[in-house]
């Protein structure tokens, strides 16, 4: 069994694509139009383009329980998911310079250093550096 695709709920796929590619540095992998304005839209790590894909899932727009779940996580400050990075401080500074907002600056916590950012699409995303 392998992880091929994981979903991140987003409120606006175009805005999410812009943020995840132009700010976080992912690369668009798949973009297939679906019914209405929805797309099967995935991004991948620039460093692992054959690795797991992140589906920018417009579920909150079409399924009320998804919208409620996403909003509850965001309002509670709980990250929807996490991405590992080699240097949280360097990523924090790079992203701050691009205008990304953080609810938690780089913070050491036992065996990790982490930071939490707002992806502008309804999610808190945690960046983690293993120490």
């Amino acid at each position: 069994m392998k992880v091929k695709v994981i979903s991140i709920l987003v409120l606006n796929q175009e805005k999410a694509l812009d943020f995840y590619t132009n700010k976080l540095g992912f690369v668009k992998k798949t973009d297939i139009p679906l019914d209405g304005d929805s797309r099967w839209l995935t991004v991948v790590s620039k460093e692992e383009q054959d690795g797991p894909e992140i589906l920018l899932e417009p579920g909150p727009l079409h399924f009320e329980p998804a919208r409620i779940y996403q909003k509850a996580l965001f309002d509670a400050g709980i990250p929807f998911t996490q991405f590992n990075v080699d240097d949280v401080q360097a990523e924090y500074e790079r992203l701050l310079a691009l205008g990304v907002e953080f609810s938690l600056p780089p913070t050491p916590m036992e065996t990790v250093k982490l930071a939490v950012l707002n992806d502008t699409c309804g999610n808190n995303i945690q960046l983690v550096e293993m120490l």
Side-chain angles (χ1 to χ4, degrees), residues 56-123:
L56 302 175
E57 171 64 57
L61 302 176
H62 309 291
F63 188 59
E64 184 66 11
R67 188 192 65 72
I68 293 167
Y69 172 69
Q70 182 188 37
K71 184 174 181 342
L73 283 178
F74 187 83
D75 290 348
I78 298 171
F80 191 88
T81 195
Q82 76 176 38
F83 301 131
N84 285 28
V85 297
D86 292 330
D87 184 337
V88 166
Q89 187 66 43
E91 279 299 309
Y92 173 77
E93 291 170 12
R94 181 184 76 80
L95 292 169
L96 270 182
L98 292 172
V100 175
E101 294 180 12
F102 283 80
S103 59
L104 180 70
T107 305
M109 294 189 177
E110 298 188 24
T111 61
V112 299
K113 185 185 289 184
L114 56 90
V116 177
L117 62 88
N118 177 343
D119 78 351
T120 73
C121 304
N123 304 295

Side-chain angles (χ1 to χ4, degrees), residues 7-28 41-46 54-57 70 80-81 83 94-95 100 117-127:
S7 295
I8 293 180
L9 301 174
V10 299
L11 299 171
N12 179 305
Q13 285 185 302
E14 196 59 40
K15 187 175 180 181
L17 180 61
D18 179 61
F19 184 85
Y20 280 79
T21 57
N22 293 324
K23 304 277 186 186
L24 297 185
F26 288 95
V27 176
K28 181 167 66 169
L41 181 60
T42 68
V43 296
V44 294
S45 169
K46 192 178 292 185
I54 299 169
L55 174 63
L56 302 175
E57 171 64 57
Q70 182 188 37
F80 191 88
T81 195
F83 301 131
R94 181 184 76 80
L95 292 169
V100 175
L117 62 88
N118 177 343
D119 78 351
T120 73
C121 304
N123 304 295
N124 293 302
I125 303 293
Q126 184 168 275
L127 302 179

